[in-house]
Amino acid sequence: MTTRHDQDIATLRAFNRLYTSRLGLLDAAYDGSPFTLSEARILYELANRTDPMAADIARALRLDPAQVSRTVKRFQERGLVAVRESPAHGRHQLLSLTEEGGRAFATLEASTRMAVGRLLESLSPFQRSRLLAAAVSISDAFEGTEPEVRLRNLRTGDLGLVAARQAILYSSEYGWNGDYEALAARILADFHQAFDPRKDDAWIAEVSGRMVGSIFLVRGEEPGVAKLRLLYVEPDARGMGVGQRLVTTCIARARALGYERLELWTVTALTAACRLYRRAGFVMTGETPNHRFGHDLVDQIWSLRLTP
C-alpha cells in the first residue's frame, strides 16, 4: 500500500529529475562553458567572496573539502585563481580570482543569465508566475528556519477567501457539503455589515505572505458576551502555533473591549480545535446532536469567563 510519505518522496524525486534535465545540470559542461556544474559553483563563490579559504567554499556548497581543493588546484594551473598565505595565520591560504579568472566568470555569468532568460521566455505568463513563486517557496523551505507566523487585520478580499478556504478544507477533511460554505458566507456578510470596531475584530494569520488561518470576534446577543467564530488553520500550518496565537489574541481583545464572557459554537468532529479551546480555559457547557452539512454531528457550546 502506497502511503502519503511514499507519494511525497516520489513527487520530490520526479521534480528533481525534471529540474536537472530542464536546466542541463547533468551535462558534461555547464551552460556550454568549459566548467562542470560543481566547478561553476566554486567559481561563483570565488567571485562573490573576499579572500575565502577552500574550507569556506566547501562549507557553503556542502562539498567534500578534498574535491574543492582539487578544483582550486586545477583553477591555479589554468591561471584562474591566485593563492596567498593569510597574514593572520600562515597555514591558511586565501583565494582570489585572477584577471583571467574574472573574465572566465563574467563569460559564465552572461551565458547562465541568457540560458535562464530563454527558459523563462519559453513559458507563458501564468507558467512563469507559478515557477517563480515555487522557486521562492523552495528557497524558503531550505533556509532551515521556520517561517514567521504573522497576524494582521482584514483586507479587501479576505472574507471571500476565508469562506472559500474553510469550505474546501472541511469538505476535504470531513466531507461537509455546501451548507457549511453558505453558513460561513452568511456569518461573514453579517460581520461586515454590522462591524463596529468598539465591539468586533478579526485576524488573518499569514506565513510568508500566504493566509494560513483566521479568527473573528463578534458581539453576542446578550450584553457583555462576545462570540469567537470561524477559527481555522490550514493543514500544512498546523503545529506552528497558529491556532493558539489566534485564540489567545481573540481572548485578549475581548477582554480589552470589556466583554465579560466569550462563547463559541463548534462540533465534536473538530477535535483539534476542541483541545485548543480547552487549553485556553474554555469550558464545554452543552452538547446537542444535530444533522448539519450532510452529516450527523454533535454541536457543542464552549464558554470562557473573562472577568474574575
Side-chain angles (χ1 to χ4, degrees):
M1 178 179 177
T2 302
T3 66
R4 176 62 184 270
H5 183 61
D6 293 330
Q7 294 173 350
D8 291 344
I9 291 173
T11 297
L12 192 56
R13 293 186 66 191
F15 162 75
N16 189 52
R17 291 192 295 270
L18 178 62
Y19 169 76
T20 53
S21 174
R22 288 299 300 269
L23 293 187
L25 302 184
L26 300 180
D27 297 345
Y30 181 63
D31 281 341
S33 72
F35 303 104
T36 65
L37 175 61
S38 62
E39 288 175 336
R41 290 294 289 114
I42 292 170
L43 192 66
Y44 180 90
E45 294 297 321
L46 287 167
N48 288 275
R49 290 173 177 266
T50 301
D51 294 334
M53 294 184 296
D56 299 328
I57 296 175
R59 283 192 296 269
L61 299 180
R62 299 188 180 188
L63 292 176
D64 178 14
Q67 177 186 353
V68 175
S69 295
R70 289 192 297 269
T71 300
V72 169
K73 186 175 181 180
R74 288 196 299 271
F75 283 174
Q76 277 185 273
E77 294 170 351
R78 294 161 62 177
L80 304 179
V81 171
V83 179
R84 62 185 178 86
E85 289 186 354
S86 169
H89 198 302
R91 297 185 62 185
H92 291 172
Q93 291 186 322
L94 305 181
L95 309 177
S96 61
L97 290 181
T98 62
E99 289 187 12
E100 181 65 23
R103 286 193 292 270
F105 172 74
T107 300
L108 175 63
E109 181 73 359
S111 176
T112 301
R113 289 178 62 87
M114 288 180 62
V116 174
R118 286 194 298 269
L119 174 62
L120 292 174
E121 290 168 2
S122 71
L123 304 175
S124 69
F126 180 73
Q127 290 173 314
R128 191 180 309 127
S129 176
R130 291 184 65 198
L131 175 63
L132 296 176
V136 171
S137 297
I138 291 171
S139 297
D140 288 344
F142 280 112
E143 283 299 317
T145 57
E146 195 72 31
E148 181 184 0
V149 178
R150 187 174 72 92
L151 302 190
R152 63 166 175 81
N153 293 118
L154 293 179
R155 293 198 297 245
T156 301
D158 284 337
L159 299 182
L161 287 173
V162 169
R165 285 306 306 153
Q166 290 203 20
I168 292 169
L169 178 62
Y170 293 142
S171 174
S172 172
E173 294 193 335
Y174 303 104
W176 292 1
N177 62 22
D179 292 346
Y180 179 78
E181 183 175 8
L183 172 63
R186 283 195 297 272
I187 292 172
L188 291 164
D190 291 343
F191 175 85
H192 175 72
Q193 292 172 357
F195 178 74
D196 183 342
R198 298 168 301 177
K199 300 177 181 178
D200 309 308
D201 215 332
W203 298 267
I204 299 295
E206 285 186 337
V207 173
S208 300
R210 172 186 155 222
M211 183 177 75
V212 296
S214 73
I215 198 167
F216 288 73
L217 176 66
V218 184
R219 62 187 178 276
E221 292 79 14
E222 301 176 38
V225 177
K227 293 184 178 181
L228 183 160
R229 311 207 76 168
L230 297 176
L231 169 70
Y232 98 101
V233 177
E234 292 286 350
D236 58 356
R238 293 168 188 169
M240 297 174 63
V242 176
Q244 181 178 358
R245 280 196 61 186
L246 287 168
V247 170
T248 56
T249 299
C250 185
I251 292 171
R253 182 60 173 158
R255 281 199 175 100
L257 293 178
Y259 285 110
E260 299 173 3
R261 191 167 78 250
L262 184 59
E263 292 185 344
L264 64 91
W265 162 83
T266 188
V267 295
T268 53
L270 304 181
T271 54
C274 292
R275 287 196 299 269
L276 186 60
Y277 299 140
R278 185 175 288 108
R279 288 199 300 268
F282 282 87
V283 176
M284 197 266 291
T285 60
E287 285 188 323
T288 308
N290 213 327
H291 187 82
R292 293 181 183 273
F293 320 133
H295 294 268
D296 291 327
L297 301 172
V298 178
D299 292 350
Q300 289 185 334
I301 300 298
W302 292 70
S303 180
L304 173 66
R305 180 162 292 280
L306 302 174
T307 55

